[in-house]
Amino acid sequence: MDLHRSSTIILLILSILSPATLSMRYELLSGHTKCISEEIHANAMSVGKYSIVNPHEDHPLPSSHKITVKVTSPQGTAYHEADGVSTGQFSLTAVETGDYITCISAVDHKPETMLTIDFDWRTGVHTKDWSTVAKRSQVENIESEVKKLLDTVTSIHDEMFYLRDREEEMHELNISTNSKMAWLSFMSLGVCLSVAGLQFWHLKTFFEKKKLI
């Protein structure tokens, strides 16, 4: 059991220390929508930024290259909305644990145009750009690293409490399920015995009427 818990903690630390940034570049056709979900824990900070890649860097972005962006919580609450933009960013602090969704829609245009979207989404300790926080001074660099480690430890602490709560919920669910299955088994046994008793009584009455017994 101790070995299992130690392995779980090690995997948890590695998962948190590993890059959790969702960064991508994808193509989106005019009039179409692409939605991306990210699981965020309650009270965690999350930031994102998006932009349309200019197909001709030497010229202004065409007027057809516009998008509509909406970020919603698991319950459907809108945290960010932008209409007819080419670039933008958002930030939020999650009030509940669940899948937060960002939907990016390309404005309808005729003829159809293919847009290239750059999207970057960071959550938790990864929301901080430590390259800008660190200073030239060695002391300030050390202080920056300590702050980074402190944020990481806090994230690990919160994640462990979250997993413990989930484990307790699953344990309570298993107990409840086993209890219901036990009652169902007793009820099934009672029904079977009742049916058997009724069949026996019916057959006995039938044979007595026929004077076979």
Side-chain angles (χ1 to χ4, degrees):
M1 184 65 177
D2 292 337
L3 179 60
H4 175 71
R5 288 185 177 273
S6 299
S7 302
T8 303
I9 293 174
I10 292 173
L11 290 174
L12 174 62
I13 293 174
L14 290 176
S15 65
I16 292 178
L17 291 178
S18 62
T21 301
L22 179 63
S23 183
M24 61 176 65
R25 172 176 287 192
Y26 62 89
E27 293 183 337
L28 186 63
L29 194 63
S30 297
H32 289 69
T33 300
K34 182 178 180 64
C35 293
I36 302 165
S37 65
E38 176 78 359
E39 183 179 4
I40 305 176
H41 295 163
N43 301 319
M45 181 71 178
S46 184
V47 298
K49 57 183 178 180
Y50 50 86
S51 62
I52 301 175
V53 178
N54 193 340
H56 307 289
E57 296 182 357
D58 297 335
H59 298 82
L61 196 65
S63 59
S64 59
H65 286 47
K66 298 293 181 182
I67 55 176
T68 297
V69 182
K70 186 174 184 179
V71 182
T72 56
S73 70
Q75 299 299 326
T77 303
Y79 277 88
H80 173 78
E81 290 183 275
D83 189 18
V85 298
S86 59
T87 183
Q89 57 186 6
F90 62 86
S91 63
L92 62 93
T93 300
V95 296
E96 57 186 337
T97 300
D99 289 332
Y100 287 71
I101 301 176
T102 298
C103 289
I104 300 179
S105 304
V107 175
D108 197 13
H109 185 270
K110 299 299 182 182
E112 291 184 335
T113 304
M114 183 67 73
L115 309 183
T116 301
I117 310 295
D118 269 341
F119 183 64
D120 184 86
W121 198 352
R122 301 169 184 262
T123 301
V125 67
H126 304 282
T127 60
K128 296 188 177 182
D129 186 359
W130 292 102
S131 63
T132 60
V133 176
K135 306 297 182 180
R136 293 182 180 179
S137 169
Q138 183 178 5
V139 175
E140 291 175 341
N141 283 335
I142 294 175
E143 182 182 0
S144 173
E145 290 298 323
V146 170
K147 289 181 179 179
K148 183 178 179 180
L149 290 174
L150 180 60
D151 276 5
T152 302
V153 170
T154 302
S155 296
I156 295 173
H157 181 267
D158 293 341
E159 185 76 14
M160 290 179 66
F161 272 99
Y162 170 74
L163 291 177
R164 189 185 66 179
D165 292 340
R166 291 294 300 273
E167 183 180 0
E168 291 178 354
E169 290 177 2
M170 292 300 298
H171 180 66
E172 293 175 357
L173 179 62
N174 288 336
I175 293 177
S176 176
T177 302
N178 291 336
S179 177
K180 292 178 180 178
M181 291 299 297
W183 278 107
L184 182 61
S185 298
F186 283 121
M187 290 178 62
S188 300
L189 179 60
V191 170
C192 291
L193 291 176
S194 299
V195 171
L198 288 173
Q199 289 179 338
F200 176 78
W201 175 81
H202 176 73
L203 290 174
K204 181 180 179 182
T205 304
F206 174 79
F207 287 133
E208 285 177 348
K209 288 182 178 180
K210 296 295 184 179
K211 297 181 179 181
L212 296 176
I213 58 174

